[in-house]
Amino acid sequence: MALNDSQRQSKRAWERLGSRADGAPRAAELTAVALELFAQKSFSAVSIKSIGEAAGANSALIYYYFKDKEDLFRACIESAVEQSFEHFIALSKNRDDPAGTISGWLNTHVELYLTLRKMVKVSLDYKSSSAVLPSVEKSYQRFYAQEAEVLEACVREGVARGLFTHADPQAICELTSTFLDGAMVRSIILPEFDVETAVGHFREFLWRALGYEPAK
Amino acid sequence: MALNDSQRQSKRAWERLGSRADGAPRAAELTAVALELFAQKSFSAVSIKSIGEAAGANSALIYYYFKDKEDLFRACIESAVEQSFEHFIALSKNRDDPAGTISGWLNTHVELYLTLRKMVKVSLDYKSSSAVLPSVEKSYQRFYAQEAEVLEACVREGVARGLFTHADPQAICELTSTFLDGAMVRSIILPEFDVETAVGHFREFLWRALGYEPAK
DNA sequence: GTCTATAAAAGGATAGAC
DNA sequence: GTCTATCCTTTTATAGAC
């Protein structure tokens, strides 16, 4: 797997001083391992040594591929956002069935909550640090823009077809993503929380609020 | 302000070895300052020295009142849960007006989201560490039991009076708290997120899903 | 590319003066 | 009770061998 744009960008940025070869499969490996750890604990609770160890490599190797710990963290966030994003993009195609698409979007959160909550967790950590990394901000922007576009388009389409009533697309979209974020957090905080059940309840609630009658 | 039960308990626990005076106003001060920092950053991102500095005291003082950093953290979590809990307890009295109580509960989250999101943030950190502290678990249990009791009772009462339709009290309760947790998280992650607006939208949707017509 | 060794700094925690 | 001084450990990061 090749480095993505932002990773390549950051390599270039710090390699102006050191000058080192480009294109690295091992960097992606390290990023994956680090993301796992950063999502489990927190940025400062994870040591460079533990990342190296988990990746089966010496910690010094990390500094070959990344400028410093923060640079690795940045790569992790972007990777988490990217992974989440890719799973959504498939749903964007299906504009014919608004309720089906929304439903699919909810299901995606159930199936991939392990991936998605990594993104939420790491995002919290990132936002808690006062650092502002332009490439990370761009990732987020892209993700949320896509999310809004898909959901709002579905609601508008549903209203246009007379399937939904009373719907403010933006409000519905925000409501839904806020709930889903809550579900991700709760699945971390409450051991007995069941994402599938909770999302199922939300779907019923949403249909009722939208005045939608599922055909069945 | 006197130490609360759990703080006193923990002091007793480690003082069996050291034997030191009880009842400390300064301990509460240190806890408050530390909670602020732990909520802003994360457990391991906050140093003992920085806590002392923020409290206008030497970091060594912390070890006079607390066994170690984790013990201080525990006191912070319990304090955060306790603060959130106290704001809820007032609402528990009002059983005559189900919709009003639910509404008040939502408003509480708007007004006190700065306090409540501290609890969410610190809880995430706590649950991410593998530590299990019995006194903290007890705090949580108390909080969630109270939350469930208030909300579920409201929904049941509303159904009994014919104000609400189709309502599964437990599902509504979980739905609502999950949404509110999501709102807390989003207010951290997204700078432009407005808790008041989001909760306002949720209220409308809840009423619609419950088949409730606000008198007005 | 990957490792060993190590410098340099920061953090948690304690002893003891006041 | 609160502070100074200090110890010990961990951690980030670099230099340089292979």
Side-chain angles (χ1 to χ4, degrees):
Chain A
M1 189 199 292
L3 287 173
N4 63 36
D5 276 358
S6 41
Q7 279 170 327
R8 201 174 284 123
Q9 238 171 31
S10 103
K11 265 190 88 57
R12 287 221 188 89
W14 72 272
E15 277 175 354
R16 267 176 215 129
L17 305 171
S19 181
R20 205 155 279 160
D22 210 338
R26 201 69 195 275
E29 227 175 293
L30 290 168
T31 305
V33 169
L35 171 58
E36 203 58 46
L37 293 175
F38 283 139
Q40 261 165 39
K41 303 194 176 186
S42 72
F43 178 72
S44 41
V46 177
S47 72
I48 291 282
K49 277 207 173 83
S50 73
I51 297 169
E53 201 176 342
N58 189 282
S59 61
L61 187 62
I62 291 167
Y63 292 94
Y64 178 80
Y65 290 105
F66 301 94
K67 184 174 167 285
D68 54 20
K69 194 184 174 187
E70 186 180 283
D71 188 39
L72 172 59
F73 187 55
R74 179 202 48 69
C76 288
I77 302 173
E78 291 174 28
S79 165
V81 176
E82 214 50 40
Q83 276 175 52
S84 304
F85 186 79
E86 276 164 24
H87 287 126
F88 284 156
I89 204 76
L91 289 164
S92 313
K93 318 287 183 189
N94 186 12
R95 288 289 155 81
D96 297 337
D97 177 14
T101 304
I102 292 175
S103 212
W105 200 61
L106 295 176
N107 286 337
T108 300
H109 273 80
V110 174
E111 285 154 27
L112 303 170
Y113 84 95
L114 291 173
T115 301
L116 293 166
R117 77 180 189 182
K118 268 181 226 162
M119 175 181 153
V120 172
K121 183 79 198 309
V122 177
S123 300
L124 270 166
D125 220 7
Y126 164 69
K127 287 292 179 178
S128 296
S129 84
S130 38
V132 177
L133 309 170
S135 59
V136 172
E137 298 297 325
K138 255 182 68 179
S139 279
Y140 281 133
Q141 233 177 307
R142 204 162 79 97
F143 180 83
Y144 284 116
Q146 176 73 9
E147 178 188 55
E149 208 223 297
V150 173
L151 273 189
E152 290 179 23
C154 282
V155 175
R156 262 192 300 273
E157 180 69 17
V159 171
R161 295 193 190 190
L163 290 166
F164 304 155
T165 57
H166 293 104
D168 172 357
Q170 219 184 321
I172 301 283
C173 175
E174 189 185 71
L175 193 80
T176 305
S177 354
T178 302
F179 172 82
L180 289 170
D181 280 353
M184 296 302 110
V185 168
R186 253 176 134 79
S187 78
I188 299 172
I189 295 181
L190 302 174
E192 74 275 17
F193 183 83
D194 183 51
V195 176
E196 185 164 8
T197 307
V199 170
H201 286 146
F202 180 81
R203 183 186 287 110
E204 284 179 44
F205 161 85
L206 187 61
W207 291 163
R208 209 172 293 158
L210 286 171
Y212 174 69
E213 301 283 344
K216 187 169 135 220
Chain B
M1 189 200 293
L3 286 173
N4 64 35
D5 277 359
S6 41
Q7 279 170 327
R8 202 174 283 123
Q9 236 172 32
S10 105
K11 265 191 85 57
R12 288 222 187 88
W14 71 273
E15 276 175 356
R16 267 177 214 128
L17 305 170
S19 183
R20 205 155 282 160
D22 212 337
R26 201 70 194 275
E29 228 175 294
L30 289 169
T31 306
V33 170
L35 171 57
E36 203 59 45
L37 293 174
F38 283 140
Q40 262 166 38
K41 303 193 178 188
S42 73
F43 178 72
S44 39
V46 177
S47 71
I48 291 282
K49 282 202 171 89
S50 74
I51 296 170
E53 200 175 344
N58 189 281
S59 61
L61 187 62
I62 291 167
Y63 292 94
Y64 178 79
Y65 290 106
F66 302 93
K67 184 172 166 286
D68 53 20
K69 194 184 173 186
E70 186 180 283
D71 188 41
L72 172 59
F73 187 56
R74 180 202 47 69
C76 288
I77 302 173
E78 290 173 29
S79 166
V81 176
E82 213 52 38
Q83 278 175 50
S84 304
F85 186 79
E86 276 163 24
H87 288 127
F88 284 154
I89 204 77
L91 289 164
S92 314
K93 319 286 182 190
N94 185 13
R95 288 287 155 82
D96 297 337
D97 176 14
T101 303
I102 292 174
S103 213
W105 200 62
L106 295 177
N107 286 337
T108 300
H109 273 81
V110 173
E111 286 156 27
L112 303 170
Y113 85 94
L114 290 173
T115 302
L116 293 166
R117 77 180 188 181
K118 269 181 225 160
M119 175 181 152
V120 172
K121 182 79 198 307
V122 177
S123 300
L124 270 166
D125 220 8
Y126 165 69
K127 287 293 180 178
S128 295
S129 85
S130 39
V132 178
L133 309 170
S135 60
V136 172
E137 298 297 325
K138 256 182 67 180
S139 279
Y140 282 133
Q141 235 177 305
R142 204 162 78 99
F143 180 83
Y144 285 116
Q146 176 73 9
E147 178 189 54
E149 208 222 299
V150 173
L151 274 188
E152 289 179 22
C154 282
V155 175
R156 262 191 300 274
E157 181 68 16
V159 172
R161 296 193 188 190
L163 291 167
F164 304 154
T165 57
H166 295 103
D168 172 355
Q170 217 184 323
I172 300 285
C173 175
E174 188 184 70
L175 193 80
T176 306
S177 357
T178 302
F179 172 82
L180 289 170
D181 280 352
M184 297 301 111
V185 168
R186 251 174 135 79
S187 77
I188 299 173
I189 296 182
L190 301 175
E192 74 276 15
F193 184 82
D194 182 52
V195 176
E196 185 163 9
T197 307
V199 170
H201 287 146
F202 181 80
R203 183 188 287 108
E204 284 178 44
F205 269 78
L206 187 61
W207 291 164
R208 210 170 292 158
L210 286 171
Y212 173 68
E213 302 283 345
K216 189 173 128 200

